[in-house]
Amino acid sequence: MSQQYPSALLEKAVGEFAKLPGIGKKTAMRLVLHLLRQDAQTVEAFGNAMITLKHEVKYCKVCHNISDTEVCKICSNPSRDSSTVCVVENIRDVMAVENTQQYKGLYHVLGGVISPMDGIGPSDLQIESLVERVKSGEVKEVILALSSTMEGDTTNFYIFRKLAPYDVKLTMIARGISIGDELEYTDEVTLGRSIVNRTVFTGTL
Amino acid sequence: MSQQYPSALLEKAVGEFAKLPGIGKKTAMRLVLHLLRQDAQTVEAFGNAMITLKHEVKYCKVCHNISDTEVCKICSNPSRDSSTVCVVENIRDVMAVENTQQYKGLYHVLGGVISPMDGIGPSDLQIESLVERVKSGEVKEVILALSSTMEGDTTNFYIFRKLAPYDVKLTMIARGISIGDELEYTDEVTLGRSIVNRTVFTGTL
């Protein structure tokens, strides 16, 4: 049964919200009515923030991360180690790695992973530009930090083959049991891998 | 630990989304990045739908429901029974009752319920205008369809006292076990009430 909206403008606004992933008609209605209770200035700030972002956003021409400038804050920071490049799937992954405060190198945002099911091939990703960065000679190590999924692994292998001709160290982020996890509840593939890839215990964690 | 956004514009857009109820920073980021992948036209349609709604929305001067016109579609529909008024809390409740297709009268949207905890008193609600509608004489029955909560009940009693001087039938929507519910799992207050307020069984449901 289709909803009867009391106003066409309301229906339009709810429809726009309901297009967002994970937001159904009921949630959309709740959000729109919430915004409607705010003053006009707040609503304009909300609507315009997204429009401005879309119009003015830039992507760093080096690492393809989102940026306000031609070259992003990370790539243009002289105190970062430009000989190390961490390959990630998307912007959120850059932020996740940055939040660890454990990494001082640069990034390369692929824009996705190879996924034939979704029609995403190597040419849809920023793989050629990664090869170019490596070819230029400054990069000494490429860290693959993709998701531990079939698509992530496929992309890892593809990049491995593409970078094989060049003199660059290729590493992959460690896979093992998460910190805080109990052994008993860890899946057997992860646990098996963490035994095979055990590291020398030096007395500190 | 505060998130490090790669772009100030991105941070602003995520911040605006995260102000919405039930949307945290992570969901906001996901939604903003989803919109960013759409074309400029889609993003503009999204942002402007909300701004247009805020600027051009009207509230029906009779029932206070949201409307594109001075008097809403329901109030101005001559085939509806203008002698019956259903009192609801908000616009969503109007839509919920309309969707049942069981009601052919008019509505009165209070804009909330009396809730001292939230600082909402009778004067913040459209109760005076309800009294005015009743005073005008056309209304024969007022149906109270508020939530079955303490605040809803308080509002019911308040309206009951306000309308007592007038010649109008005051009814309340039935409370009892939901259709499809198993007796065993119904809370005892509801079950007790549904026994006290039993109706004559005429052979049809």
Side-chain angles (χ1 to χ4, degrees), chain A residues 24 41-42 47 55 99 102 123 127 135 147 150 166 180-181 197:
Chain A
Q41 216 180 336
T42 310
H55 281 292
N99 280 337
Q102 298 287 323
S123 61
I127 294 178
K135 217 185 261 181
S147 297
M150 210 171 66
Y166 305 101
D181 264 11
N197 298 332

Side-chain angles (χ1 to χ4, degrees), chain B residues 1-73:
Chain B
M1 186 160 35
S2 80
Q3 289 272 87
Q4 287 291 318
Y5 289 90
S7 147
L9 292 171
L10 177 71
E11 182 166 9
K12 171 101 178 87
V14 171
E16 289 292 337
F17 263 95
K19 281 183 199 165
L20 296 174
I23 297 201
K25 289 265 176 189
K26 286 217 168 184
T27 306
M29 185 73 179
R30 196 166 51 86
L31 296 178
V32 168
L33 292 181
H34 168 86
L35 278 169
L36 209 50
R37 280 194 298 271
Q38 314 304 310
D39 55 32
Q41 215 180 337
T42 310
V43 174
E44 272 168 39
F46 174 83
N48 288 327
M50 200 56 232
I51 296 174
T52 311
L53 173 65
K54 181 64 189 177
H55 281 292
E56 295 183 14
V57 75
K58 291 186 187 71
Y59 292 91
C60 172
K61 61 181 183 181
V62 179
C63 72
H64 311 291
N65 190 8
I66 232 172
S67 172
D68 291 337
T69 46
E70 286 279 293
V71 174
C72 76
K73 283 185 284 186

Side-chain angles (χ1 to χ4, degrees), chain A residues 1-10 12-13 16-17 19-23 26 29-40 42-57 59 65-68 72-74 90-92 94-96 98-101, chain B residues 1-10 12-13 16-17 19-23 26 29-40 42-57 59 65-68 72-74 90-92 94-96 98-101:
Chain A
M1 186 158 38
S2 81
Q3 289 273 85
Q4 287 292 318
Y5 289 90
S7 147
L9 292 171
L10 178 70
K12 172 99 178 89
E16 288 293 337
F17 263 95
K19 282 182 198 165
L20 297 174
I23 297 201
K26 286 217 169 184
M29 185 73 178
R30 196 165 53 83
L31 297 177
V32 168
L33 292 181
H34 168 85
L35 278 169
L36 209 50
R37 281 195 298 272
Q38 314 304 309
D39 55 32
T42 310
V43 175
E44 271 168 41
F46 175 82
N48 288 328
M50 200 56 233
I51 295 174
T52 311
L53 173 64
K54 179 65 190 175
H55 281 292
E56 295 183 14
V57 75
Y59 292 90
N65 191 9
I66 232 172
S67 172
D68 291 336
C72 77
K73 282 185 286 186
I74 296 174
N90 57 43
I91 298 154
R92 274 178 291 172
V94 172
M95 289 172 67
E98 280 297 284
N99 280 337
T100 67
Q101 305 191 329
Chain B
M1 186 160 35
S2 80
Q3 289 272 87
Q4 287 291 318
Y5 289 90
S7 147
L9 292 171
L10 177 71
K12 171 101 178 87
E16 289 292 337
F17 263 95
K19 281 183 199 165
L20 296 174
I23 297 201
K26 286 217 168 184
M29 185 73 179
R30 196 166 51 86
L31 296 178
V32 168
L33 292 181
H34 168 86
L35 278 169
L36 209 50
R37 280 194 298 271
Q38 314 304 310
D39 55 32
T42 310
V43 174
E44 272 168 39
F46 174 83
N48 288 327
M50 200 56 232
I51 296 174
T52 311
L53 173 65
K54 181 64 189 177
H55 281 292
E56 295 183 14
V57 75
Y59 292 91
N65 190 8
I66 232 172
S67 172
D68 291 337
C72 76
K73 283 185 284 186
I74 296 174
N90 57 43
I91 298 154
R92 274 178 290 171
V94 172
M95 289 173 67
E98 280 297 285
N99 280 337
T100 67
Q101 304 191 330

Side-chain angles (χ1 to χ4, degrees), chain A residues 128-176:
Chain A
E128 268 316 307
S129 65
L130 173 65
V131 176
E132 288 302 317
R133 282 179 85 175
V134 170
K135 217 185 261 181
S136 76
E138 206 189 352
V139 182
K140 301 286 170 244
E141 179 178 358
V142 170
I143 304 170
L144 297 170
L146 302 180
S147 297
S148 185
T149 58
M150 210 171 66
E151 290 80 11
D153 286 341
T154 306
T155 314
N156 280 337
F157 282 117
Y158 186 88
I159 293 174
F160 172 76
R161 285 184 48 187
K162 277 284 186 183
L163 295 184
Y166 305 101
D167 178 28
V168 66
K169 187 176 164 193
L170 201 61
T171 57
M172 197 170 89
I173 53 168
R175 292 176 180 181

Side-chain angles (χ1 to χ4, degrees), chain B:
Chain B
M1 186 160 35
S2 80
Q3 289 272 87
Q4 287 291 318
Y5 289 90
S7 147
L9 292 171
L10 177 71
E11 182 166 9
K12 171 101 178 87
V14 171
E16 289 292 337
F17 263 95
K19 281 183 199 165
L20 296 174
I23 297 201
K25 289 265 176 189
K26 286 217 168 184
T27 306
M29 185 73 179
R30 196 166 51 86
L31 296 178
V32 168
L33 292 181
H34 168 86
L35 278 169
L36 209 50
R37 280 194 298 271
Q38 314 304 310
D39 55 32
Q41 215 180 337
T42 310
V43 174
E44 272 168 39
F46 174 83
N48 288 327
M50 200 56 232
I51 296 174
T52 311
L53 173 65
K54 181 64 189 177
H55 281 292
E56 295 183 14
V57 75
K58 291 186 187 71
Y59 292 91
C60 172
K61 61 181 183 181
V62 179
C63 72
H64 311 291
N65 190 8
I66 232 172
S67 172
D68 291 337
T69 46
E70 286 279 293
V71 174
C72 76
K73 283 185 284 186
I74 296 174
C75 288
S76 59
N77 184 346
S79 71
R80 297 195 70 126
D81 170 17
S82 62
S83 69
T84 313
V85 169
C86 179
V87 178
V88 293
E89 198 177 322
N90 57 43
I91 298 154
R92 274 178 290 171
D93 295 339
V94 172
M95 289 173 67
V97 177
E98 280 297 285
N99 280 337
T100 67
Q101 304 191 330
Q102 298 287 322
Y103 180 66
K104 291 296 160 210
L106 306 184
Y107 293 91
H108 192 88
V109 181
L110 290 183
V113 280
I114 297 170
S115 174
M117 291 282 281
D118 303 312
I120 302 172
S123 59
D124 299 314
L125 307 175
Q126 296 290 353
I127 293 178
E128 268 317 307
S129 65
L130 174 66
V131 176
E132 289 302 317
R133 282 179 85 176
V134 169
K135 217 186 259 182
S136 77
E138 206 191 350
V139 181
K140 301 288 169 242
E141 179 178 357
V142 169
I143 304 171
L144 298 169
L146 303 180
S147 297
S148 185
T149 58
M150 210 170 66
E151 290 79 11
D153 287 341
T154 306
T155 314
N156 280 337
F157 282 118
Y158 187 87
I159 293 174
F160 172 76
R161 285 183 50 186
K162 276 285 187 184
L163 294 185
Y166 304 101
D167 178 27
V168 66
K169 186 174 162 193
L170 202 61
T171 57
M172 198 171 90
I173 53 168
R175 292 177 180 180
I177 65 165
S178 295
I179 288 160
D181 263 13
E182 291 189 46
L183 229 62
E184 184 181 350
Y185 301 115
T186 305
D187 72 282
E188 52 199 56
V189 180
T190 302
L191 189 53
R193 279 267 216 136
S194 75
I195 291 170
V196 173
N197 298 332
R198 62 195 177 277
T199 55
V200 177
F201 182 54
T202 57
T204 54
L205 286 174

